[in-house]
Structures are given as structure tokens and as C-alpha cells.
Amino acid sequence: MAYETIIVEIEEGIASITLNRPEVLNALNDKVFNELEEAATKLAADNDVRVVIITGGEKVFAAGADISQMASSTAVDVATGEKPSLRAFKAIENMPKPVIASISGFALGGGCELTLVADVRIAADNAQFGLPEIKLGILPGAGGTQRLPRLIGIGRAKELIFSGCFIAADEALRIGLVNKVVPADQLSAETQKMAKRFAVQGAVALRLAKSAVNEGLRMDLEAGLEYEHKCFSLLFATEDQKEGMKAFMEKRPAKFLGK
Ligand code: CAA
């Protein structure tokens, strides 16, 4: 898959999407969003891809939406124009397989919001997170006001959104914005390790587990539990359920086929 602003690589069932506009600190313009949407759609449909990693450079994951592209926009442009950022983020969030954001350096504005559509976030100890949109006279417009409070709680999210301040990786870990912090030179290896732990699991179970969490968050608890039970029941129709339980009884690792 050849793109201009991202690099997509697939190795042993693990795909990585690397943001690649280093001259502007991986600022996200419409081209990046369109390419992210296209890549996510293709990787979602590729059954050989078990896990997807989204990453950036060593010094910057992404410094946010491209301010030069937004600077001259009018309210009408923004309200009525295409919404490539929202489409791209939805395509990533809805991928029926685990998505890991692997973050080194700055993850700001739309860059931070991009990490929020991943299922888990692993950060290098040099990572810095923030939603500085307020300092530009706007608000986080790619899901930050919605996904961040759901992840870290309303008060903490509002503090970040209202102040525009950056927080370091250890603080991001403390407030639950990231799952794990590792030394910068080990980020790639640690991300691969996490990806492999997901990749060996059954693809159908992963898909339904992700769906149960994501869809359940949009429902009240009763409806969510009902939906979880439907997903749970469905898995008893898979070969992987038979294999998983047989392997447990035989005291050996399961070999899942994804069906
Ligand atoms: N958009 C466009 N260009 C950007 C950019 C962005 N978000 N962030 C950095 N750049 C460009 C700079 O203009 C600069 O270009 P030139 O070399 O041509 O001048 C180049 O990248 C290097 O940046 P700096 O010189 O500023 O690098 P620095 O190391 O001094 O500072 C930084 C790094 C703290 C990340 C700083 O660049 C910065 O604050 N960037 C903007 C962060 C921001 O406000 N993000 C939110 C964007 S709005 C948004 O994301 C809306 C939304 O919700 C979707």
C-alpha cells in the first residue's frame, strides 16, 4: 500500500501505520485523514491482519490538526465541509481488531485525539500529551471533548481541555490516559510484544470482545449486558471456542484459526 503521508507495513499479521510528515511534526491535514481512512478500511477487511499499530516519529507522534489548513476557514466551511478527520477516526475506532497507539514525543490536539480512537495506548517516557486547541481559540474538534472524559473522567478531561497544558508520560499513566510507559528506546519492541499477545488470540473472539466494549459504552448497563450476552453466545458457534477449551483440558496452548 503506497501513500504520501503515512507508511503502512505488514509483518506476520501485525500492521503498522506510521504518520510521515516530519517537516510539520506530523500535522494532520485532509490528505493524512483521507489516507488514514483508506488504510484503516483496507486493514479492517484484511483477515490476515490481526492487530494494527499506529505510530509516529521518535520526537513527535503528531502535533495536531494542520493549523495552516484551518487558519483561513470560516464557520460555514467547517460546518458544511467534508469531515475527513471524523471519518478517519471512525474508521480506525471501528476496525474489528485490536488497534494500539504507540506514542513517542508530542501527541497534541488531533494527535492526542487520534490516540483516543485506538484500543490501547503505549507511550515512550518522552511522550507529552495535550489538547492545546483552547489556546488557538477553538476546542478539540476530533472527538477530544467526548472520548477523553469517557476514558479519564470528566474533571481531568476538562482540566486538560480548559488549560491547553501538556502532561508528561508518567502523568498520562497516572490518570489512565495511557496503558503503559516504557523507555523511549524500547517503545517499538514493547509495542510489538503487546501486539503479539493480542495476535495469538482468536480473531472472532477479539472482534466480538471489542464490539461488546465499544457498543456497550453507547448503551445503558442493562442493554450493554444483554448485548454482551449475545456476543458471548455467538462465540460458542466457533471452532476457536472448541479449540480454546479443549486445549485448556489437554494442558497445551490453544491454536486459534479465527473461525
Ligand atoms: N499544524 C501545522 N504546522 C505545525 C503544527 C500544526 N499543528 N505543529 C507544528 N507545525 C510546524 C511549525 O509551524 C513548524 O513549521 P516551520 O518549520 O515551517 O516553521 C514546524 O512544524 C516545527 O514546529 P515548531 O518550530 O513549532 O517546533 P517546536 O519544537 O518549537 O514546538 C510544538 C513543538 C510544541 C509541538 C509546537 O509546534 C506546537 O505547539 N504545535 C502546535 C500544537 C497545537 O496547537 N496543536 C493543536 C492543533 S488544532 C487541532 O488539533 C484541532 C482538532 O481538534 C482536530
Side-chain angles (χ1 to χ4, degrees), residues 193-210:
K193 223 189 266 176
M194 187 186 276
K196 282 179 183 151
R197 278 202 292 268
F198 296 157
V200 295
Q201 310 303 336
V204 187
L206 283 171
R207 178 188 195 117
L208 290 182
K210 177 166 174 171

Side-chain angles (χ1 to χ4, degrees), residues 167-239:
I167 56 168
D170 56 349
E171 177 66 357
L173 180 65
R174 197 185 67 77
I175 66 175
L177 176 49
V178 299
N179 296 63
K180 193 171 183 176
V181 176
V182 299
D185 62 355
Q186 288 164 36
L187 179 65
S188 172
E190 289 291 331
T191 305
Q192 284 292 326
K193 223 189 266 176
M194 187 186 276
K196 282 179 183 151
R197 278 202 292 268
F198 296 157
V200 295
Q201 310 303 336
V204 187
L206 283 171
R207 178 188 195 117
L208 290 182
K210 177 166 174 171
S211 176
V213 175
N214 286 5
E215 297 305 319
L217 282 169
R218 299 189 184 119
M219 303 173 190
D220 62 33
L221 182 60
E222 271 311 301
L225 290 170
E226 193 60 37
Y227 182 65
E228 179 194 71
H229 193 68
K230 286 201 173 86
C231 295
F232 181 67
S233 312
L234 205 53
L235 289 171
F236 285 79
T238 63
E239 288 179 32

Side-chain angles (χ1 to χ4, degrees), residues 23-25 27 63-67 70 106 108-110 113 132-133 136 140-142:
E23 65 287 358
V24 285
L25 309 189
D66 193 318
I67 299 169
M70 282 186 296
F106 293 113
L108 305 175
E113 290 168 296
E133 286 90 341
L136 299 168

Side-chain angles (χ1 to χ4, degrees), residues 51-103:
V51 178
V52 177
I53 295 165
I54 300 182
T55 193
E58 278 174 26
K59 297 213 168 102
V60 64
F61 176 78
D66 193 318
I67 299 169
S68 66
Q69 185 185 278
M70 282 186 296
S72 58
S73 297
T74 66
V76 174
D77 296 336
V78 178
T80 61
E82 280 197 62
K83 298 184 180 65
S85 60
L86 302 189
R87 282 205 318 266
F89 285 9
K90 201 170 266 187
I92 296 167
E93 190 167 46
N94 290 340
M95 266 196 264
K97 51 195 77 182
V99 178
I100 303 171
S102 178
I103 306 136

Side-chain angles (χ1 to χ4, degrees), residues 116-134:
L116 300 177
V117 293
D119 299 304
V120 296
R121 284 149 291 280
I122 176 164
D125 54 10
N126 70 345
Q128 291 197 62
F129 296 84
L131 292 174
E133 286 90 341
I134 206 81

